[in-house]
Amino acid sequence: MAQFRLHGSKVLAVDMTGDTVKAKNGSMVAYEGQMAFKKLSGGGEGLRGMVTRRITGEQMTVMEVKGKGTCYFADRASEINLVALHGETLYVEASNLLCTDGGLRTGTSFTGLRGTSQGNGLFTTTVEGTGQAAIVSDGPAVVLRVTAQYPLQVDPGAYIAHTGNLRQHFQSGVNFRTFIGEGSGEAFQIRFEGEGLVYVQPSERNTIGGEA
């Protein structure tokens, strides 16, 4: 299995001994050893994943990297966060997914209204199985734990990803700036309930529902 490690906070180094990884197309910045690169047609598994992504708008152009040596990945100087999966599912915005172990399955999942944080419709990217994944954030990501006793409210523009057994509720007409009288137009929050982890970034994307 490929070994993921951080080279600083903004470069991902992947050590491979004949292994395969899937990465965001164009994210390779350097490599040592012998590597082969292949552009894949879609981020999901096979033709079904490709078609699903086109229908939902959850776009992710992916390349497959196979070889022996070390390959380095980066994405516009974004901070990189490693996520270790042990049979569970990672739900992540397509634009925030940098690289996954070749043995992990990627696809598209219906997750209610959470995907609208980027105008992506009602779907998000999923990564399943056992292995490592690397996600990027605008600034150092914060990992917040959700428990049955302590649900979490998140600005959709700051949301990156989540794992665990979480339920999501998309609430319109309110956001964090509404509380201090600076909101304008219709705005939203995501409420997470259950048990799991939520990754947020200290910078907001533009949302389709107005100022976040």
Side-chain angles (χ1 to χ4, degrees), residues 20-171:
T20 300
V21 298
K22 289 180 285 188
K24 180 180 291 188
N25 195 47
S27 63
M28 188 275 293
V29 295
Y31 69 89
E32 302 164 344
Q34 297 180 329
M35 299 287 167
F37 301 88
K38 177 183 178 183
K39 184 177 179 180
L40 302 180
S41 299
E45 302 296 341
L47 181 61
R48 184 172 179 271
M50 218 173 88
V51 171
T52 301
R53 289 181 183 281
R54 287 177 178 171
I55 292 173
T56 64
E58 181 73 356
Q59 299 295 330
M60 182 173 65
T61 306
V62 176
M63 63 178 177
E64 181 182 83
V65 184
K66 183 177 182 179
K68 296 181 179 181
T70 302
C71 198
Y72 299 89
F73 302 93
D75 185 24
R76 296 171 295 178
S78 299
E79 298 283 334
I80 299 173
N81 311 272
L82 299 182
V83 181
L85 297 176
H86 303 282
E88 66 266 44
T89 300
L90 170 70
Y91 298 86
V92 57
E93 296 285 355
S95 62
N96 292 100
L97 183 60
L98 177 65
C99 187
T100 65
D101 188 277
L104 293 174
R105 302 178 302 279
T106 55
T108 305
S109 175
F110 177 79
T111 57
L113 294 173
R114 192 209 47 70
T116 57
S117 63
Q118 287 184 305
N120 289 345
L122 308 180
F123 296 81
T124 194
T125 294
T126 58
V127 182
E128 301 177 80
T130 299
Q132 283 193 293
I135 59 178
V136 295
S137 58
D138 187 2
V142 178
V143 185
L144 302 174
R145 180 170 296 277
V146 181
T147 67
Q149 294 77 23
Y150 296 99
L152 180 69
Q153 306 283 132
V154 176
D155 188 313
Y159 169 87
I160 302 172
H162 74 270
T163 59
N165 185 21
L166 293 176
R167 300 179 303 279
Q168 303 165 67
H169 305 282
F170 198 73
Q171 300 175 337

Side-chain angles (χ1 to χ4, degrees), residues 185-207:
E186 188 177 17
F188 309 92
Q189 284 183 5
I190 312 165
R191 180 181 175 89
F192 288 94
E193 299 176 348
E195 301 282 344
L197 299 175
V198 177
Y199 295 77
V200 298
Q201 62 184 6
S203 177
E204 296 178 9
R205 293 179 296 263
N206 291 327
T207 63

